[in-house]
Amino acid sequence: MPARQPEAEVPELIDVGANLTHESFRDDLPDVLERAATCGVRRLVVTGTTLAGSAAALRLASARPGFLWATAGVHPHEAAGYDDATEEALRTLLRHPLVVAAGECGLDYHRDYSPRDAQRFA
């Protein structure tokens, strides 16, 4: 009989792009978070893709501090709506200790859902 192998230790994982504010998680978010923790995920960073989504990401992170964190930003697809007020509100969100990154942000010249000049401005 072969020697019993020691049980593998579950690695400590961090998900840095969790879109947990999406409506598809509305009905089972607690279960999703529990399954993630059971599988070794110790931290999740909830992605903000709009100003409203960034605020929602922070609210969610505030409900589970130490397990959930947030980003604040505007995805390039949403850049057409970016203005000075959006920037000021994002800067305020970015000062919160649970907001650990600026983003979602960048350029998406493949789909061009927002004009390129708006993407560059944002």
Side-chain angles (χ1 to χ4, degrees):
M1 175 182 261
R4 181 174 176 183
Q5 298 293 320
E7 290 188 33
E9 188 174 314
V10 175
E12 185 171 309
L13 303 171
I14 301 172
D15 184 339
V16 298
N19 293 310
L20 297 175
T21 59
H22 189 270
E23 66 185 35
S24 62
F25 293 104
R26 179 182 31 222
D27 296 330
D28 65 346
L29 181 60
D31 293 334
V32 169
L33 296 177
E34 181 62 33
R35 285 193 307 270
T38 299
C39 292
V41 177
R42 298 295 173 251
R43 294 180 183 89
L44 291 110
V45 180
V46 183
T47 306
T49 60
T50 63
L51 178 56
S54 297
L58 177 54
R59 282 193 303 276
L60 187 54
S62 295
R64 298 282 302 266
F67 182 55
L68 299 179
W69 307 85
T71 72
V74 173
H75 190 282
H77 296 333
E78 308 294 334
Y82 188 93
D83 58 17
D84 291 340
T86 302
E87 182 171 332
E88 185 56 38
L90 287 174
R91 287 180 182 276
T92 298
L93 289 171
L94 287 164
R95 287 192 279 277
H96 193 285
L98 291 176
V99 177
V100 295
E104 182 107 14
C105 59
L107 304 172
D108 185 338
Y109 288 178
H110 176 70
R111 293 185 184 96
D112 278 336
Y113 290 152
S114 286
R116 291 180 180 191
D117 60 333
Q119 291 184 51
R120 286 189 297 272
F121 177 73

